[in-house]
Amino acid sequence: MPSASPYPILRLRPKEDRRLRAGHLWIYSNEIDVQKTPLSAITPGSVCRMEDAQGKALGLAHVNPHTLLCARLLSRDPHVSIDEDFYRTRLQQALLMRERLFSAPFYRLVHGEGDGFPGLIIDRYEDYLVLQAGSLGMDRDLPMITAALQSLLRPAGILLKASGAARRLEGLADRVEVLFGHIPERLEVWENDCLFQVDPRGGQKTGWFYDHRANRRRLRDFAQGRRVLDCFAYVGGFAIPLSKAGASAVTAVDSSAPALVILEENAQRNEVANLRSIHGDAMETLHNLRDRGEQFDLIVLDPPALIKSKKDFKEGSIAYRRFNDMAMRLLSPGGILFSASCSHHLNRETLLSQIAFAAQRGDYQIIGEGSQDMDHPVHPAVPESNYLKGFFIHRREALPEEAEETA
């Protein structure tokens, strides 16, 4: 007989194991048989052995008894130990895949559920690592994860940049602190033949968005000789490579003055001279540009998540429609609009429907789709890990009328 588990047991109610057996990693509190295995007895953030209603092991999970999403499966092997060696092995698997995909150490090293680390994000900036812990279990295990990273990568510094709604749901306070070594005020990113600096402490997320790497590279093919508008430019991830790819002029819009300061510095660093920045609200700026009669040949529309929770769905989906409508009004005939959404709660079909609604007054066609790059792997049974959607939209040109034949 197998030895008793060193971890406390949580048993599911009858038939509530179906999602886990289908491959998903999440368990909700209303799926637990709290009469046989009370959630209230579990230490928040600890590891538990998950069992079905008949007592058959389903694996080991981080548990937070105070949240609706109360457990996240770490391993389907109930006999492993969740320790430093466990995390080192998982990290080695993630690293091996990235090293095969990318020639330089600038990438997302760990993408949550997609890499078997539910609730954890790690972005790599060469010798520096920036972590986001979005679950109580991962937050508690940070010492083991940090030790595993040190032994595997020998980084110069590890920064925890943990904030946002996910942590608040877990009952966690925001944390920005150095876990190991030192972290400079700015980190460097080499991407798409451009060198960027980012602010890991004060910038968005970990400072950079690796997920759009492939989409940025693809857009460069459309940049030659075109007037470009980047509506949520941040520190220049789209705007600068498009400028270097031959755009005739680039207008970069963002509501963050500190982000635009870094964008301007990044433009100088990459010897970009045809870029102007506008500090302001994106929608208000789009209206102002329309009122001035401006048009652009290539527009990038990549807003932050406009739907942060299910209750925001209606208002947020309308916002996507309005942004696409305004962008299409500014798009010149023959132009390209790249319209993206990183909202988990907005699926591909809904984004497409809002684009279609906005496109009714013109002649548009979708010529391609974009998604998150390959260092953001999708767990095949966890659709929530596939969050980034993007469409390449072309405004068709009216053909000139044929000249009348002369007698």
Side-chain angles (χ1 to χ4, degrees):
M1 295 181 62
S3 58
S5 172
Y7 300 111
I9 293 172
L10 276 180
R11 187 165 290 182
L12 299 182
R13 297 166 58 195
K15 299 182 180 180
E16 298 292 359
D17 59 316
R18 288 176 291 187
R19 186 193 306 104
L20 286 187
R21 293 194 185 282
H24 212 292
L25 306 178
W26 295 352
I27 300 123
Y28 294 91
S29 58
N30 56 9
E31 297 170 340
I32 304 294
D33 188 337
V34 294
Q35 299 301 316
K36 294 181 179 178
T37 54
L39 265 173
S40 58
I42 301 300
T43 301
S46 62
V47 175
C48 288
R49 172 187 167 106
M50 303 304 304
E51 296 182 349
D52 66 14
Q54 288 73 45
K56 295 180 180 178
L58 297 169
L60 302 177
H62 274 148
V63 176
N64 186 345
H66 305 306
T67 57
L68 176 61
L69 200 176
C70 72
R72 303 166 192 248
L73 207 65
L74 296 167
S75 174
R76 296 188 183 275
D77 183 353
H79 306 299
V80 302
S81 295
I82 307 301
D83 53 18
E84 184 181 328
D85 286 340
F86 171 83
Y87 284 118
R88 186 183 299 109
T89 298
R90 285 281 171 90
L91 288 167
Q92 285 176 318
Q93 292 173 323
L95 178 63
L96 180 62
M97 189 265 278
R98 273 72 178 180
E99 288 181 335
R100 287 174 173 168
L101 290 174
F102 304 103
S103 59
F106 301 97
Y107 43 68
R108 174 150 293 182
L109 175 61
V110 167
H111 183 58
E113 284 77 358
D115 283 299
F117 289 85
L120 182 70
I121 297 295
I122 304 177
D123 281 347
R124 185 178 185 185
Y125 300 88
E126 198 166 25
D127 293 329
Y128 300 96
L129 302 169
V130 185
L131 281 62
Q132 293 177 283
S135 73
L136 182 56
M138 285 298 175
D139 199 76
R140 280 175 54 107
D141 283 359
L142 281 173
M144 291 190 293
I145 295 166
T146 301
L149 287 167
Q150 288 176 251
S151 65
L152 183 63
L153 290 172
R154 306 294 181 189
I158 302 175
L159 176 71
L160 176 65
K161 171 78 181 298
S163 61
R167 285 183 66 85
R168 289 191 288 274
L169 288 173
E170 292 282 311
L172 293 167
D174 292 351
R175 293 175 64 187
V176 180
E177 59 186 84
V178 176
L179 300 179
F180 169 76
H182 75 282
I183 300 290
E185 290 302 309
R186 300 281 178 87
L187 297 179
E188 288 190 341
V189 178
W190 179 257
E191 181 185 294
N192 289 325
D193 301 323
C194 297
L195 182 64
F196 302 89
Q197 283 199 346
V198 302
D199 179 358
R201 293 176 176 85
Q204 297 180 30
K205 303 297 183 178
T206 72
W208 185 250
F209 295 92
Y210 284 119
D211 51 2
H212 270 303
R213 180 195 295 103
N215 298 322
R216 296 179 185 123
R217 183 169 58 246
R218 193 173 178 185
L219 275 175
R220 292 186 309 180
D221 294 337
F222 301 103
Q224 182 66 42
R226 299 200 178 216
R227 295 188 68 219
V228 174
L229 172 64
D230 187 358
C231 298
F232 296 88
Y234 189 42
V235 297
F238 282 98
I240 290 171
L242 291 175
S243 179
K244 290 193 70 174
S248 60
V250 178
T251 300
V253 180
D254 205 275
S255 61
S256 169
L260 289 180
V261 168
I262 299 176
L263 182 147
E264 296 283 359
E265 294 172 355
N266 285 333
Q268 294 177 13
R269 186 171 291 107
N270 290 277
E271 300 181 345
V272 166
N274 61 344
L275 186 151
R276 65 163 173 158
S277 64
I278 298 177
H279 176 219
D281 174 79
M283 182 58 74
E284 181 179 342
T285 302
L286 289 172
H287 277 281
N288 291 338
L289 292 170
R290 181 202 61 182
D291 292 344
R292 294 204 299 263
E294 295 203 41
Q295 282 200 311
F296 299 87
D297 311 304
L298 177 57
I299 299 177
V300 179
L301 187 62
D302 178 38
L306 300 177
I307 305 175
K308 297 185 181 299
S309 64
K310 290 183 178 179
K311 66 180 177 61
D312 302 322
F313 180 82
K314 182 177 180 180
E315 182 179 351
S317 60
I318 292 174
Y320 281 107
R321 181 194 305 174
R322 292 179 60 230
F323 271 118
N324 278 279
D325 175 62
M326 286 304 304
M328 289 177 183
R329 290 170 185 257
L330 292 167
L331 190 65
S332 60
I336 301 291
L337 165 64
F338 177 64
S339 178
S341 167
C342 62
S343 293
H344 290 269
H345 299 285
L346 185 78
N347 61 30
R348 171 192 178 277
E349 289 70 25
T350 304
L351 176 61
L352 184 58
S353 69
Q354 300 297 24
I355 290 171
F357 189 93
Q360 289 182 69
R361 63 167 53 87
D363 191 5
Y364 300 92
Q365 56 190 167
I366 292 172
I367 59 174
E369 289 192 42
S371 184
Q372 60 216 53
D373 207 357
M374 290 185 286
D375 54 346
H376 292 61
V378 175
H379 190 296
V382 185
E384 294 85 353
S385 62
N386 186 17
Y387 67 95
L388 187 63
K389 292 81 53 179
F391 293 95
F392 296 82
I393 304 159
H394 174 242
R395 180 179 176 183
R396 286 193 279 202
E397 300 176 76
L399 296 176
E401 295 182 359
E402 293 183 2
E404 295 183 4
E405 293 186 2
T406 58

